[in-house]
Amino acid sequence: MDSIGTGLAAIDWNETRADVYLSRPDKRNAMTVDLMRDLIEAFERVDANDDVRAVTLLGEGPVLCAGMDLEMMRNRVEPDSEIDRDVFPELLETIEETRQPVVAGIKRAAPAGAFELTLPCDFRIIGREATYGLLEVKLGTFPHGGGTQRLPRLVGLSNAKEIVMTGEFVDPEDAAEMGLVHEVVDADVVDERAKAFADDLCDNAPLGLRNAKQALNAALEMPLEKGLTYERQLGYELDDTDDYREGFEARLEDREPTFRGE
């Protein structure tokens, strides 16, 4: 496993899958500025690696993440605070813009900022007993790391308002029903299921996955006509690739394709 930056994040390279870890288990992976900067570097490394076809976001130790470090959050309101307020939005944008699909493993806890951390991921696997929700209205503020913008796009405005304005945890089964998470599993298998889900993605054409992610992420940001044009452009980019030919040849020959990302 490669330690990143200050050592608060790490990457485990597994052939075509990369596992990105929050590595502060003694503090339940609570996020500090250094940890967030390390995660940004980790995802930038993954994005630049053409051998990686899918990524997981996991937490070392018993939980994914306890949210923001409370001492850091207390200190950020001091008049002389020099805490970088832009690092968290930058981290979320980096995850969102990572070329490969990202699968979050929500193990036991992901409240507040940790909840927002999972929103730009493409898939979310959650444990049955996980504490998962946005608590900020109970702390004198509201979620403004993307929670009020990304969440309605995932679950609709009414569900998003309930999650944000009540400040209550979301039951994992309810989260699955509203489309917020993709699978609910036992807590002790969250990480392994997230890895297996990512491995299934790795079996598909990597260029197809990347262009599909771009098109899907743009779907709610563009008028339909522009979105359809963008979709076609991304599709045409793949017409002359080896993977495109391999996919159809393998189907005609009734065999599994061997994609190379070329």
Side-chain angles (χ1 to χ4, degrees):
M1 191 178 297
D2 289 346
S3 182
I4 305 298
T6 63
L8 298 178
I11 306 174
D12 191 12
W13 304 98
N14 293 275
E15 297 182 359
T16 57
R17 190 192 78 235
D19 302 321
V20 175
Y21 284 91
L22 288 78
S23 300
R24 201 186 178 210
D26 57 320
K27 298 294 184 180
R28 293 168 59 85
N29 297 321
M31 288 183 284
T32 62
V33 170
D34 284 342
L35 190 157
M36 289 184 276
R37 286 176 177 158
D38 287 355
L39 284 176
I40 290 171
E41 181 180 343
F43 275 96
E44 288 176 343
R45 289 195 193 183
V46 167
D47 181 80
N49 190 327
D50 288 334
D51 292 332
V52 175
R53 300 185 183 183
V55 193
T56 64
L57 175 63
L58 308 172
E60 284 190 26
V63 304
L64 171 62
C65 177
M68 293 295 178
D69 183 270
L70 293 180
E71 183 174 345
M72 179 191 73
M73 295 302 291
R74 181 191 63 191
N75 292 340
R76 71 180 289 188
V77 301
E78 297 299 323
D80 59 348
S81 173
E82 296 182 357
I83 291 175
D84 184 354
R85 291 173 177 264
D86 295 327
V87 66
F88 188 50
E90 181 183 352
L91 168 59
L92 301 188
E93 289 169 11
T94 301
I95 295 172
E96 200 161 49
E97 294 171 4
T98 298
R99 293 181 298 165
Q100 303 91 336
V102 180
V103 183
I106 305 166
K107 182 173 56 179
R108 291 193 169 85
F115 182 102
E116 290 183 298
L117 178 67
T118 69
L119 296 182
C121 297
D122 301 291
F123 303 95
R124 286 161 290 278
I125 310 297
I126 192 169
R128 297 188 193 282
E129 306 300 324
T131 51
Y132 188 52
L134 293 167
L135 317 178
E136 284 84 346
V137 295
K138 295 180 180 293
L139 301 173
T141 182
F142 75 98
H144 52 279
T148 67
Q149 302 304 303
R150 290 187 176 94
L151 186 58
R153 287 166 165 80
L154 293 173
V155 302
L157 185 58
S158 180
N159 284 327
K161 284 184 175 181
E162 181 176 355
I163 293 169
V164 170
M165 294 185 181
T166 65
E168 300 294 338
F169 290 124
V170 185
D171 179 87
E173 295 293 347
D174 291 341
E177 186 174 343
M178 68 177 71
L180 177 56
V181 301
H182 297 82
E183 288 188 25
V184 182
V185 299
D186 292 338
D188 58 351
V189 298
V190 168
D191 286 2
E192 292 310 309
R193 180 57 194 139
K195 293 175 184 178
F197 193 103
D199 283 338
D200 288 342
L201 295 173
C202 290
D203 291 338
N204 296 321
L207 298 180
L209 284 174
R210 293 173 189 178
N211 282 25
K213 177 173 177 175
Q214 288 184 57
L216 288 162
N217 281 351
L220 297 180
E221 308 300 327
M222 295 182 177
L224 178 59
E225 184 176 351
K226 288 186 178 180
L228 291 171
T229 299
Y230 184 56
E231 177 189 68
R232 289 194 297 273
Q233 290 172 346
L234 291 171
Y236 295 158
E237 288 179 3
L238 306 183
D239 285 352
D240 194 35
T241 62
D242 290 341
D243 279 358
Y244 184 89
R245 287 184 284 272
E246 168 64 10
F248 280 92
E249 287 175 7
R251 181 58 61 92
L252 290 169
E253 296 169 8
D254 195 26
R255 60 174 174 81
E256 293 297 318
T258 302
F259 294 119
R260 298 185 298 174
E262 299 174 355

